[in-house]
Amino acid sequence: MRWLGITATLLVAGLAAAAPGCDDGGGTSVTEACGNGVDDDGDGATDCDDADCTGDPGCAAIVEDCGNGADDDGDGATDCDDADCAGDPGCAAGVEDCGNGADDDGDGATDCDDADCAGDPGCAPEVEDCGNGADDDGDGATDCDDADCAGDPVCVPAVERCRNGVDDDGDGATDCADDDCVGTADCVPPFEDCGNGVDDDGDALADCDDADCAADIACRTGCGDALDPFEPNDDVASATDSSAVGPGDVPIAVSGNADVFAIGVCRGGVLTVDVAFTHAAGDIDAELVAADGARLAGSWSGDDDEQVIWTSDRLGDVYLVVGMYSSEGCNDYRLATTLDDAGCIWHETACGDGIDDDGDGATDCADGADCSADAHCLPESDCLDGLDNDGDGATDCLDPGCRATSDCTASGNDGCAAPFVLPDDPRGTWFGDTTPLSGDERGACAGDGRDAVFQFTVTARGEFLADLEGSTFDTVLYLRAGDCASGAEVACNDDVSRGVVWSRVGGTLDPGTYYLFVDGFDAGAHGRYMLSVDFAITEVCDDGVDNDGDGFSDCADGDCRLDAACVESACGNGLDDDGDLLVDCDDIDCSVAAGCYPAACAEDSHEDNDSTAGALAIDSITQADVLAVTPSDDDFWSIDACAGAVVEVDARFRHADGDVDLYLQDASGGALAESNGAVDNEFLTWTASAAGTVYLRVDLYGTRDPCNVYRLAVRVDRSGCP
């Protein structure tokens, strides 16, 4: 045991001899102890100030606690006063409350005195009321003494009128004795003062003996038209040119005998008319009228003087009518007219906007002086090629230069013997007038007026649409196939919608010859018409070809939704014949099939969805739901769409039981798309430009049919959405 103890002692001693701080050469290397307050290694740095203590746990930096009231890191700054706390949430500057009487952010400024409150509504300065006797904005100046009231009508001083014998501005000086009148036409010598007993103008005649005073109220021995230097000027035909009335002229207004003055104006000019008189002597009114007597502007204040300011919408003469308000009486007045023509338009500025820009009575190309060389008025090089040849933004017959040509304006097409022939597969707009025509034909829906006949050929199966929007009378439009007089009627429409009297027809046409009739509702319905036609080749649904070039072929194309190759072939065999996972009557293709069509029409279980507010989500119904609509009870369905979504609505019904129409609209009722033909079924498609909810309105047109049933299939393709 003792031997073992000696061995242990020697080992410890050996380890001590090899420990740091010992030098075999006889010197001693001392290690700094980092927490004893002694410079152990004699390098002049004690404890944590010594570089040897870097990394020692006892020398780790102390972090300032920003909310304990102590200077944790010993840098002489406590909590939020320490720069280390600059980003601490507890030290963020307070937000000034602009109405609590406290300096919330501690910047020495309270509420509205703090710059942070400059835009706060509660700190907006009071506005000076210029007529209440109070210093509203607290700036020491009240009402008109406050600079804020400089332009207020209450504070604008009255203007001295220099020949009415009244101190108008209340400064104690009347007429020419007032400094305000010095240098005016009324007071420039020689000027006779008609009541001072002096021959002011040196013509040896004083006051009323001087002819200059003939019209002065103080010298008048009577009042009437005989004293008016501009009579007779009692109507438009005898109107006085206003430029002939000078500042010294004194016309006289007599009850029952108005004075009329012609004033030349330009479109865009600002006309100012001042009629100066003393109301106490009789109330005079001023009215500006057109040549036909239509009122343009006027002034009837019941006080001294009248002023009319009017911005002209025309080029030519307008007429000022000055008359007494009362049924008896007479009063003199002064007249001044000024036209500010800085904004006048002297020429037609745009020759294709449908506006008479210069107000000369000739619009666009009819204004030959201004528009004869304009691109809008030069004819297209080809009025039927679908191109804007002259680059004016208008194509073919919509170009004013083409409208009058035989390509675009139909004539002589009075009956089946001489139809106006349209291009094959027609697309475009044509013009005409049924007034000189006879009434030979009638459509099934209406058409007892005078009719124009058009003929065209369809070369391939396609979708046809024609309308008469822009026509000037109550139109009817109908289409026949094969033979003009006896061919089967394909479509007929009187009014496109309730209250809108132009017509539209459409549908799918097979190759062949067709006749389109523009007619009037009754014998008195005739005039100018505008016929717009569109035709697009549609998909052949079983040839494996994308015939219409829309990227979809055969049954994948929406155009084939009713094609025999793509619909349920039998509605009672228990099979999904068209592969759409809907069998027999549940498939919308079977809507009107025997055994699937209801025996009677009655209000459906989804009522009351009679308005946008009461609209039901389109997802709440399926193709199998049988719905009902009446003339006084439209159905509304809501559809959610994202920007770029394509909405397709397919409605199936029997037209013979009632004309069902579709209208897609926004929340405010604005039209987005519609389908309102006069045939079985309706279909519409629409692409959303923004995300939101749109509404499908299903309407039963007219009052002939009390109710009709329908079924809906709605598809929203969101593949194009962001």
Side-chain angles (χ1 to χ4, degrees), residues 669-692:
L672 302 175
E674 60 186 43
S675 180
N676 44 26
V679 293
D680 290 346
N681 309 325
E682 298 287 355
F683 180 82
L684 65 79
T685 182
W686 171 77
T687 302
S689 59

Side-chain angles (χ1 to χ4, degrees), residues 136-211:
D136 304 287
D137 56 8
D139 63 357
T142 302
D143 294 350
C144 295
D145 292 331
D146 193 312
D148 296 338
C149 293
D152 193 280
V154 174
C155 301
V156 175
V159 177
E160 184 74 10
R161 294 171 55 208
C162 301
R163 286 201 64 182
N164 64 351
V166 177
D167 177 17
D168 303 284
D169 56 8
D171 64 356
T174 302
D175 294 351
C176 294
D178 192 312
D179 290 340
D180 296 337
C181 292
V182 174
T184 65
D186 286 329
C187 299
V188 173
F191 171 74
E192 186 71 13
D193 184 327
C194 300
N196 63 355
V198 177
D199 177 17
D200 303 283
D201 56 7
D203 63 356
L205 297 170
D207 296 349
C208 295
D209 292 331
D210 192 316

Side-chain angles (χ1 to χ4, degrees), residues 169-268:
D169 56 8
D171 64 356
T174 302
D175 294 351
C176 294
D178 192 312
D179 290 340
D180 296 337
C181 292
V182 174
T184 65
D186 286 329
C187 299
V188 173
F191 171 74
E192 186 71 13
D193 184 327
C194 300
N196 63 355
V198 177
D199 177 17
D200 303 283
D201 56 7
D203 63 356
L205 297 170
D207 296 349
C208 295
D209 292 331
D210 192 316
D212 295 339
C213 292
D216 192 280
I217 192 169
C219 301
R220 285 209 314 251
T221 57
C223 184
D225 280 344
L227 299 176
D228 189 330
F230 301 107
E231 284 292 337
N233 62 335
D234 306 327
D235 53 30
V236 168
S238 60
T240 298
D241 189 332
S242 64
S243 64
V245 182
D249 291 322
V250 185
I252 296 174
V254 178
S255 294
N257 190 11
D259 295 339
V260 183
F261 299 88
I263 307 172
V265 296
C266 52
R267 182 179 175 90

Side-chain angles (χ1 to χ4, degrees), residues 51 64 90 128 193 214 270-271 280 283 339-340 397 427-428 448 474 529 594 617 624 629 639 655 666 679:
E64 183 74 10
E128 185 73 10
D193 184 327
V270 179
L271 175 65
D283 186 14
L339 178 67
D340 181 356
C397 295
R427 299 187 70 183
D448 294 315
D474 187 352
Y529 61 85
V629 62
I639 304 171
H655 178 75
D666 58 25
V679 293

Side-chain angles (χ1 to χ4, degrees), residues 445-580:
C445 63
D448 294 315
R450 305 175 189 184
D451 46 73
V453 185
F454 293 82
Q455 175 186 331
F456 63 92
T457 299
V458 170
T459 63
R461 191 170 189 264
E463 291 295 325
F464 174 79
L465 184 67
D467 70 57
L468 290 168
E469 183 177 8
S471 301
T472 62
F473 59 99
D474 187 352
T475 64
V476 177
L477 192 59
Y478 45 98
L479 180 68
R480 293 176 186 167
D483 185 81
C484 180
S486 61
E489 186 171 282
V490 177
C492 181
N493 178 247
D494 174 15
D495 297 341
V496 68
S497 62
R498 189 177 296 127
V500 181
V501 298
W502 54 270
S503 314
R504 175 192 289 150
V505 296
T508 302
L509 302 185
D510 290 318
T513 300
Y514 294 85
Y515 295 87
L516 184 64
F517 296 80
V518 175
D519 208 334
F521 177 73
D522 54 28
H526 54 80
R528 295 188 307 276
Y529 61 85
M530 177 175 171
L531 172 65
S532 298
V533 179
D534 187 66
F535 181 80
I537 294 174
T538 55
E539 189 74 11
V540 176
C541 300
D542 58 0
D543 65 353
V545 178
D546 176 18
N547 307 97
D548 56 7
D550 65 355
F552 299 96
S553 61
D554 297 348
C555 295
D557 194 311
D559 297 336
C560 293
R561 66 190 185 281
L562 301 178
D563 192 271
C566 303
V567 300
E568 194 82 354
S569 58
C571 296
N573 62 358
L575 301 176
D576 175 19
D577 304 287
D578 56 5
D580 62 358

